Each structure stands twice: as C-alpha cells, then as structure tokens.
Amino acid sequence: AQSVTQPDIHITVSEGASLELRCNYSYGATPYLFWYVQSPGQGLQLLLKYFSGDTLVQGIKGFEAEFKRSQSSFNLRKPSVHWSDAAEYFCAVGGDSSYKLIFGSGTRLLVRP
Amino acid sequence: DAGVIQSPRHEVTEMGQEVTLRCKPISGHNSLFWYRQTMMRGLELLIYFNNNVPIDDSGMPEDRFSAKMPNASFSTLKIQPSEPRDSAVYFCASTLNAAGAYNEQFFGPGTRLTVL
C-alpha cells in the first residue's frame, strides 16, 4: 500500500539549532517526493521536491532534503532554525503516472526563543 | 499571479443548511483538486478534475457532497445538507498537468467550515 509516515507529531527546537524532520514512504513505483509547509491559517506551500538526479535537493527558506532509496526516506533538514519556521510540515509522495499526492500526517515544529 | 483563490475564507452554518465553497485556480492550470483537512484524518483528497472533467471522485465522502467545474477558471464544492462532522478546512489546489511531467500542486488559503 502507498503511504507516507512522519513519525514525529511535534518537534521543538531552539532558535539557531539544526533541524531534521523525518519522512518515510511506501510506494510501488518511482516516487516523486515533496515537502510542504503550512503556516497557521494558511494553505500549503511547496518547500522542495525530488523527481530524479541528485539525491540532495535544495529548497526555499534554506531547507534541504535527502532522498535515500535504500531507507525509503526523504528527511528534511535545516542547519539553523529561525522563529519564523514554526509551522506544520507535510511530506508527500506521488508518481509519474499518478496525479495523486499521498500526504503524511504532518509534523508541527515549535521554535524556542 | 494571484495564486489559487478560495471563498469564503470562513463559513459558519447550521446543520442541515447548504454550503457552497468556491475556487478559482491559477490561470493556465488544467488540473484542480479539492482536499479536506481535519485533525483526525489529516489531508484527504476529495475530488480531482482534469480539463474541467471529474476524473476521480472516490474521496467524496457521500452523496451530500458534490463538486462542479463549469469552466477552467471556476469550481465549486457543495455540501447539502451539511452536518457537524463536515466541519473542517477545505483546500483547493491546482497544477498544470502536462504529459510526462508531474508538477507541484499550488494550494489556496482554504475555507474553514464550521457546522453547528
């Protein structure tokens, strides 16, 4: 079955600390992977995406993610978190023959001053 | 570009009333999605349109829900009659679905629906 697992419901980090949000997927075909961010009261905004090629992808706002096929993971990272990064983060998987995106349940990031 | 536009942003109604949510996709996009977001179930795809035609409505919860896309720049999601369990945030998203390519979905700001 196709699925996305974000094992951490909440994560709290101090401002300036590094961040890693975990994402594991199960997908039968070549996966297209996405990270979206949702600020309170807002829609989802794409941070980055992976289709093929270099497994380390750079996104907006200083985020990056690494695709590890052997681990079925696509973890999101940021070297130094800013207070404005506090939001909910969603990992999603799709495929080249499917219009559907399967979303994880989200990880809520809290940033300590 | 103004992005995906949804209206209203907030809707409070009473059980049994008809609710209509509206969406204007990004100009030039040919695919439109309606999602529902709740704490319990997360983000769920309700229906997908491609070139104004409903392709997959398997996520529509029941017959009380209906969606239309009369033209490339407008879609509605209607709930009749509404029930308290329909309370959620409803998102519309659009993309340019070109052959051989998978493009990101652009989300609107959502409509927060509360059914009393």
Side-chain angles (χ1 to χ4, degrees), chain B residues 1-78:
Chain B
D1 198 316
V4 176
I5 299 172
Q6 291 186 246
S7 64
R9 293 293 310 274
H10 301 273
E11 177 80 35
V12 180
T13 190
E14 292 188 346
M15 183 174 61
Q17 296 299 305
E18 177 180 297
V19 175
T20 300
L21 311 182
R22 297 172 175 78
C23 175
K24 177 178 169 56
I26 292 174
S27 177
H29 283 186
N30 62 355
S31 294
L32 184 139
F33 307 79
W34 281 101
Y35 289 89
R36 178 171 66 177
Q37 185 180 40
T38 60
M39 289 292 292
M40 292 298 295
R41 301 174 67 92
L43 265 167
E44 304 173 275
L45 177 65
L46 299 178
I47 188 167
Y48 160 63
F49 290 88
N50 189 48
N51 293 323
N52 312 335
V53 176
I55 303 300
D56 181 356
D57 65 355
S58 59
M60 296 286 263
E62 46 198 278
D63 292 345
R64 298 184 297 105
F65 285 69
S66 62
K68 294 182 180 180
M69 193 163 186
N71 57 62
S73 59
F74 184 65
S75 177
T76 59
L77 177 67
K78 185 178 293 187

Side-chain angles (χ1 to χ4, degrees), chain A residues 8-9 11 14 21 24 34 40-41 45 50 54-55 61-62 70 72 82-83:
Chain A
D8 303 305
I9 298 174
I11 281 188
S14 297
L21 302 183
N24 292 95
F34 306 81
Q45 179 186 20
Y50 171 79
D54 192 346
T55 56
K61 304 185 182 188
S70 62
S72 297
H82 188 263
W83 64 267

